Amino acid sequence: MKDDIHGYIAEINKVEVKTKDDLELFRIRFLGKKGIIPALFAGMKEIEPAQRKDTGLLLNALKNRVQEKIDEAKTILDKTGDKGVEKPDLTMPVGFRETGSLHPLTIVRNEIVRIFERLGFSIAEGPEIEDDWYNFTALNFVPEHPARDMQDTFFIGRDPDIMLRTHTSSVQIRFMEKTKPPIRVILPGRVFRNEAISARAHCIFHQIEGLYVDEDVSFADLKQTLYFFATELFGPETRIRFRPSYFPFTEPSAEMDISCFICGGKGCRVCKNSGWVEILGCGMVDPNVLDNCNIDSSKYTGFAFGLGIERTAMLKYQINDIRLFFENDIRFLKQFAGEY
Ligand code: DAH
């Protein structure tokens, strides 16, 4: 009889009770009047007295196991109805949610800001609507400078004094008016120029301005800072070179190129076979600019630089049309999910 009981226990452990009908059949098979359990109890009379106790315990265990199985199945069937215990359908499509992403311009701006933060630069912002003093005059633009022209600048109303800023250099002036050296600051923001929109140019874009003013700041400091920046952003193999240039607010002025990170300088489509790509404008802050902000130019020197975020992002991600940044086409934006 013990062997029989062991056999039933094994069977109960294996059997699947999926529907209410299954459950009823199972119950009748074991607990019905003519079922297995009553029959086994009846058979106890035949068992030798020496075996009776062990067998009785085992039989009770079987009965409990049957009851347990019935209770388990009931609980599940009560929840799922008479459809039975459903196994999950692993072929069902998952209702996953798409995650949002940062805009590629935000990603690049954050990355640039973080690099300069590591060098001890802080971050500040200024207004998008400016007057002539901050956007031009204090930055040493002579009155007849062509950049003031209607062609470039969005003036607001008829007042030639009020405009959308054409560059973030205006924030240099605002910052130096309020803060005295030592100054180490990064000034990101949106700028506006009255330009025809094309794959290369837009009337709204973003810049990051950098400004460092202290005693004994030299062009070597400028180079080393920008070298660090370039290798952090574009990789340790990156080389830099400076070409003389002109900006009213810096003297001397330069444009900085980086060795093409696509071809490593061998020449490709991105660098137009030159091996170099232009990345930013920079220079030593013109003493007139410091004086305009009441900073003693006989005591302090400084460097400044400004770069376009769109241009940098286009290089970094090899995007060939600036308009993509502003169209909000989800197929474009989606590709940056997961970056930060
Ligand atoms: N403001 C310049 C532009 O929009 C960029 C620039 C050049 C900024 C040289 C600077 C600088 O601070 O030193 O083209």
Side-chain angles (χ1 to χ4, degrees):
M1 180 138 118
K2 276 190 185 166
D3 286 347
D4 289 346
I5 296 177
H6 282 300
Y8 290 129
I9 293 180
E11 182 192 323
I12 293 168
N13 287 342
K14 255 189 272 163
V15 77
E16 284 186 338
V17 182
K18 283 188 175 168
T19 63
K20 288 196 173 147
D21 287 346
D22 285 353
L23 177 60
E24 188 55 10
L25 286 175
F26 179 85
R27 194 190 61 77
I28 291 168
R29 177 164 149 73
F30 282 94
L31 299 178
K33 262 192 204 132
K34 293 179 189 158
I36 291 163
I37 304 276
L40 287 170
F41 273 107
M44 284 294 286
K45 294 197 291 281
E46 308 326 325
I47 304 289
E48 295 166 35
Q51 292 287 318
R52 209 168 274 161
K53 190 177 169 202
D54 279 356
T55 313
L57 284 172
L58 196 59
L59 182 51
N60 272 324
L62 172 64
K63 195 181 156 195
N64 290 340
R65 182 70 193 101
V66 169
Q67 195 55 52
E68 225 177 79
K69 183 87 176 180
I70 291 172
D71 293 343
E72 265 170 34
K74 256 197 195 140
T75 319
I76 294 173
L77 284 170
D78 283 347
K79 265 193 225 146
T80 59
D82 206 9
K83 287 192 301 285
V85 183
E86 281 181 58
K87 290 215 177 118
D89 178 357
L90 298 179
T91 66
M92 288 256 287
V94 185
F96 74 95
R97 246 194 289 163
E98 298 211 31
T99 49
S101 60
L102 292 180
H103 193 282
L105 295 178
T106 309
I107 296 169
V108 171
R109 190 207 45 203
N110 288 353
E111 206 174 332
I112 295 171
V113 166
R114 275 197 291 265
I115 293 169
F116 284 103
E117 273 174 349
R118 271 181 260 144
L119 290 175
F121 282 73
S122 54
I123 178 165
E125 286 180 7
E128 292 179 348
I129 297 174
E130 276 297 8
D131 61 23
D132 183 273
W133 170 256
Y134 291 105
N135 199 74
F136 292 127
T137 302
L139 286 162
N140 208 31
F141 281 78
V142 288
E144 63 280 6
H145 195 283
R148 294 171 182 254
D149 203 310
M150 288 293 275
Q151 309 255 298
D152 268 311
T153 309
F154 284 117
F155 291 95
I156 293 187
R158 283 199 199 111
D159 189 344
D161 195 41
I162 308 294
M163 64 204 69
L164 295 176
R165 67 180 174 198
T166 59
H167 52 185
T168 45
S169 302
S170 55
V171 195
Q172 286 189 32
I173 305 300
R174 291 193 173 267
F175 196 85
M176 285 192 283
E177 275 181 355
K178 280 190 290 149
T179 318
K180 295 306 153 201
I183 290 170
R184 258 184 294 179
V185 71
I186 288 292
L187 312 162
R190 189 158 61 152
V191 302
F192 308 84
R193 278 185 212 172
N194 195 354
E195 278 188 65
I197 296 172
S198 70
R200 307 234 121 241
H202 211 288
C203 56
I204 302 179
F205 55 102
H206 299 78
Q207 291 186 329
I208 289 195
E209 194 83 11
L211 178 67
Y212 191 129
V213 183
D214 203 349
E215 286 174 44
D216 299 326
V217 178
S218 68
F219 202 90
D221 297 322
L222 165 65
K223 278 182 162 176
Q224 190 56 39
T225 304
L226 293 179
Y227 177 65
F228 176 82
F229 161 68
T231 50
E232 288 293 295
L233 191 63
F234 291 104
E237 306 298 319
T238 311
R239 286 164 295 134
I240 57 172
R241 78 174 183 190
F242 291 83
R243 283 177 291 105
S245 186
Y246 174 78
F247 301 102
F249 37 91
T250 44
E251 182 58 36
S253 305
E255 266 163 78
M256 186 176 98
D257 299 338
I258 57 166
S259 56
C260 180
F261 55 95
I262 303 295
C263 62
K266 285 191 212 72
C268 71
R269 206 171 41 86
V270 170
C271 60
K272 299 195 191 82
N273 281 318
S274 70
W276 296 93
V277 283
E278 186 191 321
I279 183 89
L280 55 80
C282 59
M284 301 305 292
V285 180
D286 193 297
N288 291 340
V289 174
L290 295 176
D291 292 336
N292 285 339
C293 303
N294 293 321
I295 290 175
D296 183 354
S297 60
S298 63
K299 185 166 171 208
Y300 294 107
T301 50
F303 66 74
F305 54 89
L307 73 157
I309 301 181
E310 279 80 359
R311 196 183 144 66
T312 312
M314 285 168 83
L315 285 172
K316 201 169 152 62
Y317 296 119
Q318 294 179 57
I319 296 165
N320 56 17
D321 194 323
I322 195 171
R323 291 169 290 200
L324 286 165
F325 291 121
F326 303 100
E327 282 164 359
N328 287 332
D329 184 331
I330 202 83
R331 293 166 303 178
F332 170 71
L333 297 175
K334 243 182 180 173
Q335 300 175 64
F336 303 92
E339 302 222 21
Y340 61 95

